[in-house]
Amino acid sequence: MWGIGQEGWLQLWSGFIGSVTGAIAATLVALLVLRRTNRHQRALAEDAAKKQAELAEKQLSEQRSSLEAQLRQQQEGLNRQLREQRLEARRERERAAMAVIVSGLTGLRAGAKHPDFDHRPHLDRVTEGIHRWRLEIGTSGVLGEELGAWPGFLWLAHDYVRRCRQNHEPYTEGAVKLYISCLDYLLDACLKWSESESDEYGALGNDMITFRNDFGEKTFKLENLRR
């Protein structure tokens, strides 16, 4: 047929089938390669997207942590400023109370040697200043409790001098000096308070307790020394 023998047809069909088979095989290989390539690219894309998401999350976390740290620092700074302002305001109120105490003590000391001197307005100022200061430092601490005893103590010390004068005791002059020493002690204590921190108030309170407790012993010695 068409001048092609049987052997020629066999060769022709064999070549055709081989080429078709080769084309099919090449197509399958290409499809397989394409599939693998697509799968690899998809895996790369997914990995890149995952890394990008992780990086974005990390950056967001770092930004959030940095912002939180800044906010904490700002809050701590504000709290510190508020504490310092409250402390300074309290110290100013304490100084104002001390000024009232010093004013009253100065008046008492100026009239201590005069029998007709009216000490009550000045003692009232000392009492007012002490109460104002106790409102600031509290009344439960050593110093707060001890301060509460001093208005009455000063009144008794002054009354002791009054009775000595009234009875014309020979140790009256010594009693006046002893009374003035009480006023001077409290004046000196005010200076110490103004330069002290709150954690030193306990030692100041204990010192005041010792001084006040020694007053009775001093008056006893004074009376027996003059007899």
mmCIF file of all heavy atoms in Angstrom, residues 24-59:
data_model
loop_
_atom_site.group_PDB
_atom_site.id
_atom_site.type_symbol
_atom_site.label_atom_id
_atom_site.label_comp_id
_atom_site.label_asym_id
_atom_site.label_seq_id
_atom_site.Cartn_x
_atom_site.Cartn_y
_atom_site.Cartn_z
ATOM 1 N N ILE A 24 4.044 10.980 25.451
ATOM 2 C CA ILE A 24 3.239 10.778 26.660
ATOM 3 C C ILE A 24 4.127 10.736 27.893
ATOM 4 O O ILE A 24 3.835 11.343 28.929
ATOM 5 C CB ILE A 24 2.409 9.484 26.529
ATOM 6 C CG1 ILE A 24 1.358 9.641 25.425
ATOM 7 C CG2 ILE A 24 1.749 9.146 27.857
ATOM 8 C CD1 ILE A 24 0.593 8.367 25.108
ATOM 9 N N ALA A 25 5.236 10.001 27.744
ATOM 10 C CA ALA A 25 6.167 9.891 28.877
ATOM 11 C C ALA A 25 6.741 11.254 29.233
ATOM 12 O O ALA A 25 6.873 11.624 30.403
ATOM 13 C CB ALA A 25 7.281 8.897 28.537
ATOM 14 N N ALA A 26 7.120 12.008 28.171
ATOM 15 C CA ALA A 26 7.670 13.341 28.420
ATOM 16 C C ALA A 26 6.638 14.234 29.093
ATOM 17 O O ALA A 26 6.950 15.028 29.995
ATOM 18 C CB ALA A 26 8.142 13.970 27.105
ATOM 19 N N THR A 27 5.376 14.078 28.609
ATOM 20 C CA THR A 27 4.295 14.886 29.218
ATOM 21 C C THR A 27 4.099 14.519 30.675
ATOM 22 O O THR A 27 3.935 15.395 31.544
ATOM 23 C CB THR A 27 2.988 14.669 28.434
ATOM 24 O OG1 THR A 27 3.184 15.052 27.054
ATOM 25 C CG2 THR A 27 1.864 15.492 29.040
ATOM 26 N N LEU A 28 4.097 13.203 30.938
ATOM 27 C CA LEU A 28 3.933 12.762 32.333
ATOM 28 C C LEU A 28 5.078 13.260 33.204
ATOM 29 O O LEU A 28 4.868 13.705 34.344
ATOM 30 C CB LEU A 28 3.859 11.223 32.366
ATOM 31 C CG LEU A 28 2.592 10.611 31.760
ATOM 32 C CD1 LEU A 28 2.691 9.083 31.755
ATOM 33 C CD2 LEU A 28 1.359 11.059 32.550
ATOM 34 N N VAL A 29 6.291 13.177 32.649
ATOM 35 C CA VAL A 29 7.455 13.667 33.411
ATOM 36 C C VAL A 29 7.329 15.158 33.663
ATOM 37 O O VAL A 29 7.596 15.654 34.771
ATOM 38 C CB VAL A 29 8.755 13.342 32.665
ATOM 39 C CG1 VAL A 29 9.936 14.065 33.315
ATOM 40 C CG2 VAL A 29 9.010 11.837 32.638
ATOM 41 N N ALA A 30 6.903 15.884 32.605
ATOM 42 C CA ALA A 30 6.748 17.344 32.761
ATOM 43 C C ALA A 30 5.684 17.669 33.803
ATOM 44 O O ALA A 30 5.844 18.583 34.634
ATOM 45 C CB ALA A 30 6.394 17.971 31.410
ATOM 46 N N LEU A 31 4.566 16.906 33.729
ATOM 47 C CA LEU A 31 3.499 17.128 34.708
ATOM 48 C C LEU A 31 3.981 16.824 36.120
ATOM 49 O O LEU A 31 3.641 17.528 37.086
ATOM 50 C CB LEU A 31 2.278 16.264 34.371
ATOM 51 C CG LEU A 31 1.499 16.677 33.113
ATOM 52 C CD1 LEU A 31 0.407 15.644 32.798
ATOM 53 C CD2 LEU A 31 0.879 18.065 33.317
ATOM 54 N N LEU A 32 4.757 15.735 36.260
ATOM 55 C CA LEU A 32 5.282 15.355 37.569
ATOM 56 C C LEU A 32 6.242 16.424 38.109
ATOM 57 O O LEU A 32 6.170 16.822 39.277
ATOM 58 C CB LEU A 32 5.987 14.001 37.463
ATOM 59 C CG LEU A 32 6.567 13.450 38.777
ATOM 60 C CD1 LEU A 32 5.459 13.247 39.798
ATOM 61 C CD2 LEU A 32 7.309 12.130 38.523
ATOM 62 N N VAL A 33 7.103 16.876 37.173
ATOM 63 C CA VAL A 33 8.049 17.933 37.586
ATOM 64 C C VAL A 33 7.300 19.214 37.975
ATOM 65 O O VAL A 33 7.609 19.871 38.966
ATOM 66 C CB VAL A 33 9.061 18.202 36.456
ATOM 67 C CG1 VAL A 33 9.895 19.450 36.757
ATOM 68 C CG2 VAL A 33 9.965 16.993 36.253
ATOM 69 N N LEU A 34 6.298 19.546 37.142
ATOM 70 C CA LEU A 34 5.502 20.746 37.420
ATOM 71 C C LEU A 34 4.779 20.628 38.747
ATOM 72 O O LEU A 34 4.723 21.574 39.533
ATOM 73 C CB LEU A 34 4.503 20.954 36.276
ATOM 74 C CG LEU A 34 3.566 22.175 36.432
ATOM 75 C CD1 LEU A 34 4.395 23.455 36.469
ATOM 76 C CD2 LEU A 34 2.553 22.214 35.294
ATOM 77 N N ARG A 35 4.236 19.417 38.984
ATOM 78 C CA ARG A 35 3.526 19.202 40.242
ATOM 79 C C ARG A 35 4.452 19.341 41.428
ATOM 80 O O ARG A 35 4.118 19.976 42.425
ATOM 81 C CB ARG A 35 2.882 17.817 40.225
ATOM 82 C CG ARG A 35 2.079 17.527 41.488
ATOM 83 C CD ARG A 35 1.453 16.154 41.384
ATOM 84 N NE ARG A 35 0.706 15.854 42.595
ATOM 85 C CZ ARG A 35 0.093 14.694 42.826
ATOM 86 N NH1 ARG A 35 0.153 13.726 41.879
ATOM 87 N NH2 ARG A 35 -0.566 14.497 43.945
ATOM 88 N N ARG A 36 5.647 18.720 41.275
ATOM 89 C CA ARG A 36 6.624 18.821 42.365
ATOM 90 C C ARG A 36 7.094 20.264 42.561
ATOM 91 O O ARG A 36 7.288 20.731 43.679
ATOM 92 C CB ARG A 36 7.804 17.897 42.086
ATOM 93 C CG ARG A 36 7.455 16.419 42.218
ATOM 94 C CD ARG A 36 8.669 15.552 41.973
ATOM 95 N NE ARG A 36 8.366 14.143 42.179
ATOM 96 C CZ ARG A 36 9.260 13.158 42.018
ATOM 97 N NH1 ARG A 36 10.501 13.460 41.624
ATOM 98 N NH2 ARG A 36 8.906 11.906 42.219
ATOM 99 N N THR A 37 7.274 20.937 41.396
ATOM 100 C CA THR A 37 7.709 22.339 41.481
ATOM 101 C C THR A 37 6.659 23.199 42.175
ATOM 102 O O THR A 37 6.971 24.022 43.039
ATOM 103 C CB THR A 37 7.987 22.880 40.069
ATOM 104 O OG1 THR A 37 9.021 22.088 39.449
ATOM 105 C CG2 THR A 37 8.436 24.336 40.133
ATOM 106 N N ASN A 38 5.409 22.980 41.759
ATOM 107 C CA ASN A 38 4.319 23.738 42.389
ATOM 108 C C ASN A 38 4.233 23.439 43.878
ATOM 109 O O ASN A 38 4.015 24.337 44.706
ATOM 110 C CB ASN A 38 2.991 23.419 41.707
ATOM 111 C CG ASN A 38 2.898 23.999 40.309
ATOM 112 O OD1 ASN A 38 3.618 24.947 39.987
ATOM 113 N ND2 ASN A 38 2.037 23.430 39.464
ATOM 114 N N ARG A 39 4.378 22.143 44.222
ATOM 115 C CA ARG A 39 4.305 21.761 45.622
ATOM 116 C C ARG A 39 5.461 22.387 46.406
ATOM 117 O O ARG A 39 5.283 22.877 47.522
ATOM 118 C CB ARG A 39 4.346 20.233 45.737
ATOM 119 C CG ARG A 39 4.212 19.744 47.168
ATOM 120 C CD ARG A 39 3.874 18.268 47.214
ATOM 121 N NE ARG A 39 4.534 17.517 46.166
ATOM 122 C CZ ARG A 39 4.305 16.220 45.910
ATOM 123 N NH1 ARG A 39 3.438 15.572 46.625
ATOM 124 N NH2 ARG A 39 4.939 15.611 44.941
ATOM 125 N N HIS A 40 6.655 22.402 45.789
ATOM 126 C CA HIS A 40 7.821 22.999 46.444
ATOM 127 C C HIS A 40 7.636 24.509 46.611
ATOM 128 O O HIS A 40 7.930 25.081 47.679
ATOM 129 C CB HIS A 40 9.070 22.709 45.619
ATOM 130 C CG HIS A 40 10.327 23.286 46.204
ATOM 131 N ND1 HIS A 40 10.841 22.870 47.411
ATOM 132 C CD2 HIS A 40 11.164 24.268 45.753
ATOM 133 C CE1 HIS A 40 11.932 23.554 47.694
ATOM 134 N NE2 HIS A 40 12.151 24.418 46.691
ATOM 135 N N GLN A 41 7.132 25.147 45.527
ATOM 136 C CA GLN A 41 6.891 26.585 45.606
ATOM 137 C C GLN A 41 5.820 26.913 46.646
ATOM 138 O O GLN A 41 5.916 27.908 47.375
ATOM 139 C CB GLN A 41 6.480 27.125 44.225
ATOM 140 C CG GLN A 41 7.623 27.117 43.215
ATOM 141 C CD GLN A 41 7.179 27.607 41.857
ATOM 142 O OE1 GLN A 41 5.980 27.666 41.573
ATOM 143 N NE2 GLN A 41 8.151 27.917 40.997
ATOM 144 N N ARG A 42 4.770 26.048 46.673
ATOM 145 C CA ARG A 42 3.715 26.261 47.658
ATOM 146 C C ARG A 42 4.262 26.105 49.080
ATOM 147 O O ARG A 42 3.931 26.882 49.986
ATOM 148 C CB ARG A 42 2.569 25.294 47.413
ATOM 149 C CG ARG A 42 1.370 25.553 48.336
ATOM 150 C CD ARG A 42 0.138 24.786 47.873
ATOM 151 N NE ARG A 42 0.370 23.354 47.803
ATOM 152 C CZ ARG A 42 0.452 22.671 46.655
ATOM 153 N NH1 ARG A 42 0.335 23.295 45.491
ATOM 154 N NH2 ARG A 42 0.652 21.378 46.665
ATOM 155 N N ALA A 43 5.138 25.108 49.244
ATOM 156 C CA ALA A 43 5.752 24.900 50.568
ATOM 157 C C ALA A 43 6.637 26.085 50.937
ATOM 158 O O ALA A 43 6.640 26.552 52.088
ATOM 159 C CB ALA A 43 6.564 23.604 50.564
ATOM 160 N N LEU A 44 7.392 26.571 49.914
ATOM 161 C CA LEU A 44 8.234 27.739 50.171
ATOM 162 C C LEU A 44 7.388 28.959 50.527
ATOM 163 O O LEU A 44 7.721 29.733 51.436
ATOM 164 C CB LEU A 44 9.105 28.043 48.942
ATOM 165 C CG LEU A 44 10.229 27.043 48.633
ATOM 166 C CD1 LEU A 44 10.937 27.433 47.341
ATOM 167 C CD2 LEU A 44 11.230 26.978 49.793
ATOM 168 N N ALA A 45 6.284 29.120 49.785
ATOM 169 C CA ALA A 45 5.400 30.259 50.050
ATOM 170 C C ALA A 45 4.779 30.153 51.438
ATOM 171 O O ALA A 45 4.687 31.133 52.188
ATOM 172 C CB ALA A 45 4.315 30.341 48.975
ATOM 173 N N GLU A 46 4.326 28.941 51.797
ATOM 174 C CA GLU A 46 3.734 28.740 53.123
ATOM 175 C C GLU A 46 4.769 28.987 54.218
ATOM 176 O O GLU A 46 4.473 29.588 55.248
ATOM 177 C CB GLU A 46 3.170 27.326 53.228
ATOM 178 C CG GLU A 46 1.936 27.103 52.378
ATOM 179 C CD GLU A 46 1.473 25.660 52.424
ATOM 180 O OE1 GLU A 46 2.210 24.827 53.026
ATOM 181 O OE2 GLU A 46 0.394 25.354 51.871
ATOM 182 N N ASP A 47 6.011 28.502 53.978
ATOM 183 C CA ASP A 47 7.075 28.703 54.959
ATOM 184 C C ASP A 47 7.414 30.193 55.098
ATOM 185 O O ASP A 47 7.610 30.710 56.209
ATOM 186 C CB ASP A 47 8.314 27.916 54.540
ATOM 187 C CG ASP A 47 9.416 27.979 55.578
ATOM 188 O OD1 ASP A 47 9.187 27.550 56.725
ATOM 189 O OD2 ASP A 47 10.508 28.481 55.255
ATOM 190 N N ALA A 48 7.454 30.886 53.939
ATOM 191 C CA ALA A 48 7.744 32.319 53.963
ATOM 192 C C ALA A 48 6.628 33.075 54.692
ATOM 193 O O ALA A 48 6.873 33.988 55.494
ATOM 194 C CB ALA A 48 7.916 32.850 52.551
ATOM 195 N N ALA A 49 5.379 32.682 54.386
ATOM 196 C CA ALA A 49 4.243 33.337 55.041
ATOM 197 C C ALA A 49 4.266 33.078 56.549
ATOM 198 O O ALA A 49 3.976 33.970 57.365
ATOM 199 C CB ALA A 49 2.933 32.845 54.426
ATOM 200 N N LYS A 50 4.620 31.830 56.916
ATOM 201 C CA LYS A 50 4.693 31.477 58.330
ATOM 202 C C LYS A 50 5.776 32.289 59.038
ATOM 203 O O LYS A 50 5.572 32.827 60.131
ATOM 204 C CB LYS A 50 4.960 29.987 58.480
ATOM 205 C CG LYS A 50 5.018 29.515 59.915
ATOM 206 C CD LYS A 50 5.269 28.014 59.982
ATOM 207 C CE LYS A 50 5.358 27.540 61.426
ATOM 208 N NZ LYS A 50 5.635 26.081 61.508
ATOM 209 N N LYS A 51 6.951 32.378 58.382
ATOM 210 C CA LYS A 51 8.053 33.150 58.964
ATOM 211 C C LYS A 51 7.703 34.629 59.065
ATOM 212 O O LYS A 51 8.025 35.295 60.043
ATOM 213 C CB LYS A 51 9.321 32.957 58.135
ATOM 214 C CG LYS A 51 9.927 31.570 58.266
ATOM 215 C CD LYS A 51 11.194 31.445 57.442
ATOM 216 C CE LYS A 51 11.828 30.066 57.615
ATOM 217 N NZ LYS A 51 13.056 29.902 56.801
ATOM 218 N N GLN A 52 7.019 35.122 58.018
ATOM 219 C CA GLN A 52 6.625 36.523 58.027
ATOM 220 C C GLN A 52 5.617 36.777 59.147
ATOM 221 O O GLN A 52 5.682 37.806 59.836
ATOM 222 C CB GLN A 52 6.023 36.900 56.675
ATOM 223 C CG GLN A 52 5.705 38.395 56.540
ATOM 224 C CD GLN A 52 5.242 38.756 55.153
ATOM 225 O OE1 GLN A 52 5.026 37.882 54.318
ATOM 226 N NE2 GLN A 52 5.077 40.040 54.899
ATOM 227 N N ALA A 53 4.690 35.845 59.332
ATOM 228 C CA ALA A 53 3.704 35.982 60.404
ATOM 229 C C ALA A 53 4.384 35.917 61.774
ATOM 230 O O ALA A 53 4.054 36.692 62.693
ATOM 231 C CB ALA A 53 2.650 34.883 60.288
ATOM 232 N N GLU A 54 5.352 34.976 61.907
ATOM 233 C CA GLU A 54 6.082 34.875 63.167
ATOM 234 C C GLU A 54 6.894 36.139 63.445
ATOM 235 O O GLU A 54 6.953 36.614 64.580
ATOM 236 C CB GLU A 54 7.004 33.659 63.134
ATOM 237 C CG GLU A 54 6.262 32.329 63.146
ATOM 238 C CD GLU A 54 7.203 31.148 62.982
ATOM 239 O OE1 GLU A 54 8.395 31.389 62.666
ATOM 240 O OE2 GLU A 54 6.760 29.993 63.173
ATOM 241 N N LEU A 55 7.518 36.670 62.373
ATOM 242 C CA LEU A 55 8.295 37.901 62.521
ATOM 243 C C LEU A 55 7.392 39.072 62.910
ATOM 244 O O LEU A 55 7.739 39.874 63.801
ATOM 245 C CB LEU A 55 9.039 38.205 61.219
ATOM 246 C CG LEU A 55 9.882 39.493 61.205
ATOM 247 C CD1 LEU A 55 10.974 39.409 62.275
ATOM 248 C CD2 LEU A 55 10.496 39.730 59.831
ATOM 249 N N ALA A 56 6.242 39.149 62.242
ATOM 250 C CA ALA A 56 5.293 40.225 62.562
ATOM 251 C C ALA A 56 4.799 40.096 63.999
ATOM 252 O O ALA A 56 4.689 41.095 64.736
ATOM 253 C CB ALA A 56 4.118 40.191 61.591
ATOM 254 N N GLU A 57 4.507 38.843 64.415
ATOM 255 C CA GLU A 57 4.044 38.622 65.786
ATOM 256 C C GLU A 57 5.149 38.973 66.792
ATOM 257 O O GLU A 57 4.881 39.567 67.844
ATOM 258 C CB GLU A 57 3.621 37.169 65.961
ATOM 259 C CG GLU A 57 3.050 36.867 67.338
ATOM 260 C CD GLU A 57 2.604 35.418 67.465
ATOM 261 O OE1 GLU A 57 2.682 34.691 66.454
ATOM 262 O OE2 GLU A 57 2.171 35.040 68.565
ATOM 263 N N LYS A 58 6.397 38.606 66.438
ATOM 264 C CA LYS A 58 7.526 38.926 67.312
ATOM 265 C C LYS A 58 7.711 40.435 67.425
ATOM 266 O O LYS A 58 7.915 40.973 68.521
ATOM 267 C CB LYS A 58 8.797 38.277 66.776
ATOM 268 C CG LYS A 58 10.031 38.539 67.623
ATOM 269 C CD LYS A 58 11.256 37.871 67.035
ATOM 270 C CE LYS A 58 12.498 38.167 67.880
ATOM 271 N NZ LYS A 58 13.716 37.543 67.292
ATOM 272 N N GLN A 59 7.646 41.116 66.277
ATOM 273 C CA GLN A 59 7.782 42.573 66.288
ATOM 274 C C GLN A 59 6.659 43.220 67.090
ATOM 275 O O GLN A 59 6.888 44.157 67.853
ATOM 276 C CB GLN A 59 7.792 43.104 64.844
ATOM 277 C CG GLN A 59 9.039 42.744 64.061
ATOM 278 C CD GLN A 59 8.960 43.196 62.618
ATOM 279 O OE1 GLN A 59 7.872 43.468 62.102
ATOM 280 N NE2 GLN A 59 10.112 43.276 61.956
#
